[in-house]
């Protein structure tokens, strides 16, 4: 298995190389310190696995992952990072990373993560799984604060329908539409339709 390491701390790359090459079928083909170097390398050198930090100079995070996937779609990507913020984790996974391992658990989890991604599975450090589950629960709770009818009104508001058009589409009165809008604004502590839609987008209420 050909492995590329990307981290702006050489001591991390050296330590990972020593750890990985304890396995006879693993070969670290290069240690690079930033995203642009990595993309340049990948233009000419096929690899099976990339293990990368998240925050580096040049290109980092989701932009680096998207660049890697464009050059080598079949390569697996493990993000090895100290960051445990939910937004960062979701960002890199949405970009196409196959696993997310916290650096503090690298020694215990890295080989497990590699085996999982080799088998087209994903892997998260246990702390990351808890964070993601908490975020999902929070989003579900925010969505559940609205009734089924309010969500129907909301979907049409997002599509920029007027109260009159919503009333016609849902076979209810304009007064009822306005009542649903006011109810949702009270629940979200917003004062107008713009504020309500901002709340919807920022909390990803609608799938």
């Amino acid at each position: 298995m050909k492995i590329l390491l990307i981290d702006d701390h050489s001591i991390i790359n050296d330590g990972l190389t020593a750890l990985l090459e304890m396995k006879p079928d693993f070969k670290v083909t290069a240690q690079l310190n930033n995203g642009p170097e990595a993309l340049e390398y990948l233009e000419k050198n096929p690899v099976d696995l990339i293990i990368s930090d998240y925050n580096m100079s040049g290109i980092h995070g989701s932009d680096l992952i998207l660049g890697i996937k464009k050059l080598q779609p079949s390569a697996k990507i493990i993000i090895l990072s100290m960051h445990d913020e939910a937004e960062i984790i979701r960002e890199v996974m949405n970009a196409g990373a196959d696993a997310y391992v916290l650096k503090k658990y690298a020694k215990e989890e890295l080989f497990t993560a590699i085996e999982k991604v080799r088998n087209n599975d994903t892997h998260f450090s246990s702390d990351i799984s808890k964070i993601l589950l908490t975020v999902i629960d929070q989003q579900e709770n925010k969505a559940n604060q609205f009734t089924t009818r309010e969500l129907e009104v909301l979907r049409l508001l997002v599509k920029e329908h007027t109260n009159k058009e919503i009333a016609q589409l849902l076979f209810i009165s304009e007064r009822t539409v306005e009542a649903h809008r006011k109810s949702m604004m009270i629940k979200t502590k917003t004062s107008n339709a713009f504020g309500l839609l901002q709340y919807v987008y920022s909390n990803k209420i609608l799938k």
Side-chain angles (χ1 to χ4, degrees):
M1 190 177 207
K2 295 179 180 178
I3 303 172
L4 169 63
L5 303 180
I6 314 169
D7 197 295
D8 53 4
H9 293 92
S10 296
I11 192 170
I12 298 292
N13 283 334
D14 290 342
L16 286 173
T17 298
L19 179 66
L20 292 165
E21 293 192 342
M22 291 170 61
K23 298 279 188 179
D25 58 336
F26 288 175
K27 175 63 179 176
V28 175
T29 59
Q31 300 180 17
L32 302 176
N33 299 117
N34 58 63
E37 283 184 2
L39 295 181
E40 184 178 352
Y41 178 85
L42 291 169
E43 286 178 357
K44 300 176 182 178
N45 301 279
V47 299
D48 302 300
L49 173 69
I50 296 102
I51 301 175
S52 176
D53 193 5
Y54 168 81
N55 191 18
M56 295 174 291
S57 60
I59 304 169
H60 69 282
S62 58
D63 291 333
L64 176 57
I65 295 166
L66 292 169
I68 292 170
K69 287 296 184 180
K70 186 175 180 180
L71 291 170
Q72 298 197 29
S74 63
K76 301 298 183 181
I77 303 173
I78 296 175
I79 296 298
L80 186 63
S81 175
M82 62 182 290
H83 293 282
D84 61 1
E85 297 89 342
E87 284 303 314
I88 290 176
I89 299 159
R90 289 194 313 188
E91 175 191 318
V92 298
M93 299 310 290
N94 287 338
D98 300 284
Y100 198 105
V101 177
L102 292 175
K103 283 185 175 179
K104 62 183 177 180
Y105 298 131
K107 190 173 182 180
E108 296 86 351
E109 294 188 10
L110 192 54
F111 288 122
T112 299
I114 291 171
E115 287 307 311
K116 283 188 175 181
V117 300
R118 287 178 88 174
N119 291 308
N120 298 313
D121 202 352
T122 57
H123 177 81
F124 304 100
S125 291
S126 57
D127 289 3
I128 299 301
S129 297
K130 291 175 185 176
I131 291 166
L132 292 178
L133 286 172
T134 300
V135 170
I136 291 169
D137 288 343
Q138 288 172 346
Q139 289 178 349
E140 288 180 348
N141 289 338
K142 286 175 179 175
N144 289 339
Q145 69 186 305
F146 299 125
T147 66
T148 301
R149 179 62 88 184
E150 285 172 347
L151 288 172
E152 290 174 344
V153 171
L154 195 54
R155 287 189 178 92
L156 294 172
L157 279 174
V158 167
K159 294 178 181 178
E160 299 184 355
H161 286 290
T162 63
N163 280 3
K164 183 177 181 179
E165 290 169 339
I166 293 171
Q168 292 172 343
L169 289 166
L170 297 180
F171 303 101
I172 56 179
S173 69
E174 288 184 55
R175 182 175 294 179
T176 301
V177 174
E178 186 59 33
H180 286 311
R181 287 180 58 160
K182 287 182 178 178
S183 172
M184 288 187 286
M185 286 188 286
I186 290 170
K187 290 176 180 179
T188 58
K189 298 179 181 178
T190 54
S191 57
N192 52 44
F194 180 73
L196 177 60
L197 294 180
Q198 277 191 315
Y199 181 92
V200 169
Y201 289 130
S202 63
N203 290 287
K204 298 178 174 62
I205 299 298
L206 298 178
K207 306 297 184 188

